[in-house]
Amino acid sequence: MVRAEARSLALLNEARQKAGAVGLVVDPEMAAFARTWSETMAEGGFVHSSAPWAENIVWVGNNRLTAEQAAESFNDLWVNSPGHYANMIDPKFTSVGIGVFMDQSGWEATYVFR
């Protein structure tokens, strides 16, 4: 999961740079929350959390993807979704938590922004 999270951060910050926003810094508390929430979704269903932060969630139902391919899939889905993309490039955000979980049903990811 660490490779997927690292690739996700790189892609996120590339998108922000293209949009003229500064890169985000990983907040350890937010990252721990995001990881836990991704696992929670895998166990209990695909729903938004009640986190106090802006949030993007995604499920990609293909557990044969590599970590890097999964991160690229998350990014592609969100870049092509206006609301998710707005969270990704919002210049007021300075911190992010990225959490990824993979099981037999595929990949779950949570990004939280502050």
Side-chain angles (χ1 to χ4, degrees):
M1 299 334 125
V2 173
R3 288 187 0 234
E5 292 168 358
R7 181 68 178 140
S8 293
L9 178 62
L11 291 167
L12 172 61
N13 280 333
E14 285 175 22
R16 289 180 64 82
Q17 182 181 24
K18 287 178 187 175
V22 298
L24 297 175
V25 176
V26 174
D27 177 285
E29 175 189 0
M30 293 168 68
F33 173 87
R35 285 184 196 109
T36 299
W37 190 253
S38 292
E39 186 171 355
T40 298
M41 286 192 301
E43 295 169 356
F46 184 71
V47 296
H48 280 278
S49 74
S50 58
W53 310 297
E55 177 180 75
N56 287 3
I57 61 172
V58 67
W59 172 70
V60 175
N62 182 348
N63 66 358
R64 293 184 181 157
L65 296 176
T66 66
E68 292 79 8
Q69 290 170 327
E72 290 164 11
S73 291
F74 309 152
N75 187 73
D76 291 345
L77 290 166
W78 286 333
V79 164
N80 291 299
S81 170
H84 294 101
Y85 183 65
N87 280 343
M88 291 172 67
I89 64 166
D90 191 324
K92 74 180 178 211
F93 296 139
T94 58
S95 300
V96 67
I98 297 173
V100 176
F101 184 79
M102 192 271 291
D103 65 8
Q104 70 280 356
S105 72
W107 293 83
E108 284 84 3
T110 305
Y111 292 18
V112 289
F113 304 91
R114 175 180 64 210

